Amino acid sequence: LHRMVGAMLPGDLWILGALMSNGKTALLMSQLDALAEMGTPTAYLPLELSPFDLRRRWAAWKLGLDPVAIARNQWDKLPPGAQAQHEAMIATQAAHPCVHFPPDRKVTLAGLRKWIRAAIDDFGARIVMIDHFHRLDFGPASSNYRVVVTDTVRAIKDLAVEHGIVILASAQLNQIETNPLDRYFPPHLKRLKESAGIGEEADAVLMLSRRLRYTPDAEAMQLLRMGHK
């Protein structure tokens, strides 16, 4: 990835765009794990899943266990001793000095400023992850929602510069209902939800998509559009 797009540098804002369930949290958690292994102080703000659920998923990945079975507490579908191993891994990760999750999941821009400042002061955070940007509390809904979103992402970029940290935020994309294979094609920057300013303010934007195993023929595409396949 560094060879393709360069390294994340202090003051950078990176945006990770993808459709729902198309890999945003998986990539962020993978990056979090890598940073933890390197001893890089990282603050992770989960606005979609709770810190508890993320730790359960993270521990499952580290142990090579099925995270879906663990999320459903289906321990009988996992190898013997998996539950004890999973609980021990969660305890190990919870004590990790370089990874911190905040307790608050409803965060305004002002709250984000305070949390980042505290993360820097308390444990020297160098990376801040926001999962995901569109779940921030932008205040009362208004006709100027896009302007508010643009102003917020600009303020987040300023926070990265001010504190000399990297901020990595995931962002939702606008759906294209007419294309049943939408999630399998690389999306364009204009697909970032609500505001072109998100892409304009970022130093780098990574857009995720799934990969087709094969290209459907015309008949298969017609069945897909009709909802029969």
Side-chain angles (χ1 to χ4, degrees), residues 109-187:
L109 179 58
L112 182 65
R113 292 181 191 275
K114 292 180 181 179
W115 177 66
I116 289 176
R117 179 74 266 175
I120 294 171
D121 292 342
D122 293 347
F123 64 94
R126 292 168 51 198
I127 308 282
V128 170
M129 297 185 179
I130 304 172
D131 186 13
H132 59 78
F133 170 78
H134 287 100
R135 285 185 175 266
L136 284 170
D137 184 353
F138 297 110
S142 70
S143 58
N144 294 322
Y145 180 70
R146 291 194 176 191
V147 175
V148 173
V149 170
T150 300
D151 289 345
T152 301
V153 75
R154 186 174 295 128
I156 291 175
K157 167 60 180 175
D158 291 341
L159 282 172
V161 174
E162 175 186 350
H163 296 297
I165 59 174
V166 174
I167 297 180
L168 177 59
S170 66
Q172 193 64 268
L173 305 185
N174 290 312
Q175 302 263 0
I176 298 180
E177 301 291 345
T178 57
N179 185 358
L181 297 182
D182 186 29
R183 66 180 57 250
Y184 299 98
F185 293 98

Side-chain angles (χ1 to χ4, degrees), residues 33-136:
D33 184 64
L35 291 169
E37 292 287 345
M38 292 188 291
T40 303
T42 304
Y44 192 112
L45 177 62
L47 298 175
E48 193 167 30
L49 296 173
S50 70
F52 176 75
D53 289 334
L54 282 174
R55 287 192 185 281
R56 283 168 60 86
R57 183 179 296 187
W58 185 17
W61 287 339
K62 292 292 284 185
L63 294 169
L65 300 173
D66 179 10
V68 175
I70 288 176
R72 295 173 178 170
N73 289 317
Q74 295 174 333
W75 301 105
D76 58 314
K77 295 186 177 182
L78 297 168
Q83 185 171 4
Q85 293 175 353
H86 186 255
E87 291 174 355
M89 179 60 73
I90 288 179
T92 298
Q93 292 173 340
H96 200 294
C98 293
V99 176
H100 292 258
F101 296 93
D104 192 0
R105 293 179 60 202
K106 184 174 177 61
V107 181
T108 63
L109 179 58
L112 182 65
R113 292 181 191 275
K114 292 180 181 179
W115 177 66
I116 289 176
R117 179 74 266 175
I120 294 171
D121 292 342
D122 293 347
F123 64 94
R126 292 168 51 198
I127 308 282
V128 170
M129 297 185 179
I130 304 172
D131 186 13
H132 59 78
F133 170 78
H134 287 100
R135 285 185 175 266
L136 284 170

